[in-house]
Amino acid sequence: MNEERKYIKRAITLAKKGMGWVNPNPMVGAVLVKDGRIIGEGYHEYFGGPHAEVNAILNATESVEGATLYVTLEPCSHHGKTPPCTDLILSKGIRRVVTSMMDPNPLVNGNGMKTLTEAGIEVEVIKGGSDAAELNELFVKFILTGKPFCTLKTAMTLDGKIATIENASRWISGEKSRRYVHELRQQYSAVMVGINTVIYDDPMLNTRRKGKKSRNPLKVIVDSYGKIPLEAKVLAQDPQLAIIATTENIEEVKKRDLERLGAQVLVCPPSDGMVDLVYLMLSLGRMGIDSVLLEGGSTLAFSALKNGIVDKVISFIAPKIIGGINAPTPVGGTGLTRMEEAIPVKNWKYRKIGEDLLVEGYIGK
């Protein structure tokens, strides 16, 4: 069993190489083992490309007949952008298939393993632990609900501030934490911020990973009244990746100017005078956006939590103290009135990243 878990772990490591390139499909890795030796490896490299099982077979150094296939997700048995992987597995004479997770996609769920079993192939599910569960948490939420998986990312000082009383915020977190944020941006299909973050910080919201090929996410700006400056960096660089989520309060002239720059203006119904975030997430899901990294600011963070769109929280805590009763905190808004209303963060864990502390957990799990 330890040997089998080792191969599953290797398959998970391979799967992660597809991070950011396969959305909204799942990340999948595969390892072929024969006579106690790895003879082939592969992973799903890009959206619409060959699946992990196909690549592992193509990369095999010898015949795969009689081999065991370790794969992080149940092999598909339906025609999508590529033929069913189960057909290829059967045609190549693979003896046994071990997976760490059944595919939650209703088109596949259980059918892949059933197809293999009925053809006489031995199948087994070996749980891959928390790594396997987290590997495709974005995909699972999206395929089951049609809504993007939403992670709230914050960075604050030890005394819970995200900026000084004059809104100076560079830099709260350390260099290693900031590099990790770019790894997160690579993983998520879209980054979302509120208009005040754009006005005060003027971020680019792109992905910069030294020495690595990167993909820039969509940039979703929640801007209920159309205040975004036309010269903002999010519009200056790749404006076609910008989605301005607004309401009917935006001036028609501003809407035309934004569209002329190449941005998409998404007019949402209002909720308490602001963009209805539930409607926004449903709209993003219909666009095929499987995941959103919500990076601020504090008003948007509270609204997102209050409206129940946040699935996960990632918080960087820097060993610094700013002080100031009016200095902003990660979650602002009107706040809750009773402790009984506090939103619990469950299944949380922490680790050190540079000089900072990284804490992450789930909402409602």
Side-chain angles (χ1 to χ4, degrees):
M1 182 64 76
N2 287 338
E3 279 291 299
E4 304 225 291
R5 291 193 183 281
K6 181 182 75 173
Y7 297 134
I8 286 292
K9 187 174 181 180
R10 175 58 185 164
I12 291 171
T13 298
L14 290 167
K16 291 178 181 178
K17 291 185 176 183
M19 184 178 71
W21 302 112
V22 300
N23 307 58
N25 282 351
M27 291 181 281
V28 183
V31 176
L32 280 164
V33 177
K34 190 174 183 180
D35 299 327
R37 298 172 291 109
I38 294 178
I39 63 169
E41 296 183 336
Y43 67 97
H44 186 29
E45 298 177 10
Y46 58 90
F47 178 75
H51 287 188
E53 301 93 319
V54 176
N55 285 329
I57 291 170
L58 290 175
N59 293 333
T61 55
E62 60 184 85
S63 170
V64 302
E65 186 174 357
T68 296
L69 172 68
Y70 295 87
V71 61
T72 57
L73 191 69
E74 175 187 8
C76 66
S77 57
H78 70 290
H79 282 272
K81 291 185 176 296
T82 59
C85 289
T86 51
D87 288 358
L88 181 63
I89 291 169
L90 294 173
S91 71
K92 293 297 181 179
I94 290 172
R95 177 181 62 84
R96 182 167 175 259
V97 174
V98 180
T99 185
S100 62
M101 180 181 176
M102 301 296 283
D103 194 330
N105 186 341
L107 293 174
V108 180
N109 189 254
N111 292 328
M113 300 300 260
K114 181 181 178 182
T115 298
L116 296 174
T117 300
E118 290 177 346
I121 291 181
E122 182 183 347
V123 300
E124 188 173 354
V125 179
I126 297 178
K127 299 296 183 181
S130 60
D131 284 347
E134 290 180 22
L135 179 65
N136 283 308
E137 59 187 8
L138 313 185
F139 168 73
V140 172
K141 163 77 180 289
F142 182 66
I143 202 68
L144 292 179
T145 69
K147 303 174 187 176
F149 186 98
C150 181
T151 293
L152 171 63
K153 187 276 295 182
T154 64
M156 64 182 178
T157 59
L158 199 58
D159 57 335
K161 308 296 183 181
I162 61 173
T164 69
I165 57 174
E166 294 185 355
N167 280 307
S169 61
R170 294 187 178 180
W171 293 104
I172 292 291
S173 55
E175 183 180 348
K176 286 189 176 180
S177 295
R178 297 198 298 273
R179 286 205 301 265
Y180 184 68
V181 169
H182 286 277
E183 295 294 333
L184 288 173
R185 289 181 182 176
Q186 172 68 22
Q187 181 179 358
Y188 286 74
S189 293
V191 173
M192 181 187 294
V193 297
I195 184 57
N196 287 336
T197 296
V198 173
I199 291 173
Y200 289 122
D201 296 342
D202 197 18
M204 292 186 288
L205 300 182
N206 59 4
T207 304
R208 303 182 297 279
R209 302 189 303 162
K210 189 175 182 180
K212 297 181 181 179
K213 185 180 178 182
S214 300
R215 172 201 54 84
N216 287 331
L218 290 168
K219 301 169 284 190
V220 181
I221 315 302
V222 181
D223 182 10
S224 301
Y225 292 87
K227 296 179 180 179
I228 186 170
L230 295 177
E231 63 276 10
K233 288 178 181 177
V234 290
L235 298 175
Q237 184 185 64
D238 297 330
Q240 73 279 3
L241 294 180
I243 298 175
I244 312 301
T246 187
T247 65
E248 58 190 11
N249 291 315
I250 189 173
E251 295 181 358
E252 190 61 34
V253 172
K254 185 64 168 289
K255 181 175 181 291
R256 285 199 302 267
D257 286 343
L258 289 168
E259 291 173 336
R260 192 175 294 115
L261 285 174
Q264 179 178 345
V265 179
L266 178 62
V267 179
C268 304
S271 176
D272 296 328
M274 311 297 283
V275 167
D276 185 327
L277 295 180
V278 174
Y279 176 91
L280 172 59
M281 296 301 277
L282 287 170
S283 297
L284 295 177
R286 285 193 288 267
M287 294 178 191
I289 300 171
D290 70 331
S291 51
V292 172
L293 181 63
L294 201 166
E295 294 200 29
S298 63
T299 301
L300 178 60
F302 177 73
S303 184
L305 288 164
K306 182 181 178 182
N307 282 278
I309 69 167
V310 177
D311 298 289
K312 188 175 185 177
V313 176
I314 294 178
S315 182
F316 299 91
I317 303 172
K320 304 172 183 176
I321 295 174
I322 291 177
I325 193 170
N326 293 320
T329 59
V331 180
T334 57
L336 302 173
T337 57
R338 297 182 298 121
M339 279 303 299
E340 291 79 6
E341 297 174 320
I343 300 167
V345 178
K346 301 180 179 179
N347 298 326
W348 59 274
K349 58 185 179 181
Y350 64 90
R351 63 185 171 92
K352 193 175 180 185
I353 179 165
E355 293 299 313
D356 302 332
L357 184 67
L358 174 60
V359 180
E360 57 184 300
Y362 296 86
I363 303 293
K365 283 195 175 183

